[in-house]
Amino acid sequence: MVKVVAGNWKMHHGPDAARRFFSRFRPKVENGSVRLVFFPPDLSLEAAIGSTRVPADFGVQNIHWEAAGARTGETSAEMAREAGATLALIGHSERRHIFGETDAEVDRKVGAAARAGLVPVVCVGELLEERRAGRLEEVLRRQVGAFAGSLAGVAEFMVAYEPVWAIGTGETATPDDAAEAHGIVRDALGTLGRAPVLYGGSVKPGNAAALVSAPDVDGVLVGGASLDPDVFARIAEACGGAGS
Ligand code: PGA
């Protein structure tokens, strides 16, 4: 499987910065050796899509589950699609822990993305206290179980395992930690098919190759290190070299 290298820009890079990013982003990877995905802020999506000079897919970082309506500040899956997105990040830990998004809401968003023809990229991951209490498997099974039903019959989706303690902290799961968690996620997905399961949490050029070489790790979802075009290019190169 070609490794997925996804950048989640979070609330960084307005339209001008997005254009500047793509004027410099030139990974030395053979065409098709990695699948590049970007999640810019909604307001930068059009500028990003219009300025990239490498094959890449684009997604939004969040959607609402309604197609339209009185939901001030929200964006629907249909609108994201019309604006050029083909994927939607759903249930990122910052959405869950800063904005209080629940498993039930994550499930509704997965259904909405699928209905609109967006590829859901659903994030799961445990808190440090949960890991320390030996609850990794229980948490991952609960989170995956909450949305798995909405993925039945969906042609394409991805899951991102992002241990909350590793996001933006500089702490990274070891390749063994990632392989263990990815194995649980894959088992919890059951018969849904062999979807890519990405690792996220302080991925950098120096650890990306080892992580994507671990069993069941099909790519990376990168936050902070995706903001700099040269650094993100090095991550793409490291993953391209890691083969399948
Ligand atoms: P990070 O973020 O790479 O900055 O740790 C990952 C993510 O939140 O998707």
Side-chain angles (χ1 to χ4, degrees), residues 8 10 92-94 162 166-170 200-203 221-225:
N8 170 15
K10 308 189 179 183
H92 186 276
S93 87
E94 286 149 19
E162 300 204 299
I167 297 179
T169 59
S202 298
V203 175
L221 178 56
V222 187

Side-chain angles (χ1 to χ4, degrees), residues 27-50:
K28 294 182 202 66
V29 288
E30 274 176 47
N31 240 349
S33 67
V34 290
R35 178 174 176 193
L36 291 166
V37 179
F38 291 91
F39 294 99
D42 288 357
L43 289 175
S44 305
L45 186 63
E46 192 179 347
I49 293 173

Side-chain angles (χ1 to χ4, degrees), residues 5-240:
V5 180
N8 170 15
W9 286 356
K10 308 189 179 183
M11 198 169 70
H12 297 284
H13 287 351
D16 285 344
R19 281 186 280 266
R20 276 199 301 278
F21 177 97
F22 284 109
S23 71
R24 272 177 48 199
F25 182 66
R26 292 276 184 286
K28 294 182 202 66
V29 288
E30 274 176 47
N31 240 349
S33 67
V34 290
R35 178 174 176 193
L36 291 166
V37 179
F38 291 91
F39 294 99
D42 288 357
L43 289 175
S44 305
L45 186 63
E46 192 179 347
I49 293 173
S51 56
T52 182
R53 281 175 249 172
V54 293
D57 295 319
F58 289 85
V60 289
Q61 301 171 10
N62 178 41
I63 49 165
H64 193 271
W65 53 82
E66 300 288 351
R71 299 289 186 276
T72 301
E74 296 289 325
T75 297
S76 72
E78 285 76 2
M79 290 168 182
R81 181 132 178 107
E82 188 183 333
T86 55
L87 304 93
L89 210 54
I90 297 173
H92 186 276
S93 87
E94 286 149 19
R95 300 289 330 160
R96 292 176 187 264
H97 299 294
I98 302 176
F99 300 101
E101 211 164 281
T102 64
D103 281 339
E105 289 168 341
V106 168
D107 181 42
R108 294 180 80 175
K109 293 182 179 198
V110 169
R115 276 193 303 280
L118 293 176
V119 175
V121 182
V122 201
C123 304
V124 297
E126 83 288 3
L127 297 164
L128 188 57
E129 311 77 280
E130 293 168 334
R131 169 167 280 262
R132 288 198 173 132
R135 295 178 50 217
L136 171 71
E137 177 155 2
E138 171 207 318
V139 170
L140 295 183
R141 284 191 185 279
R142 187 201 77 225
Q143 291 176 335
V144 173
F147 60 79
S150 295
L151 290 173
V154 172
E156 192 186 355
F157 68 91
M158 303 185 202
V159 176
Y161 167 63
E162 300 204 299
V164 179
W165 48 272
I167 297 179
T169 59
E171 298 270 336
T172 321
T174 64
D176 286 348
D177 290 336
E180 180 194 7
H182 285 224
I184 295 168
V185 168
R186 205 171 284 298
D187 193 63
L189 288 170
T191 55
L192 283 170
R194 216 193 124 71
V197 182
L198 316 184
Y199 169 80
S202 298
V203 175
K204 302 178 209 65
N207 61 21
L211 284 161
V212 294
S213 301
D216 282 318
V217 180
D218 305 308
V220 286
L221 178 56
V222 187
S226 72
L227 295 174
D228 181 305
D230 302 319
V231 174
F232 194 53
R234 277 160 50 214
I235 292 175
E237 287 157 16
C239 292

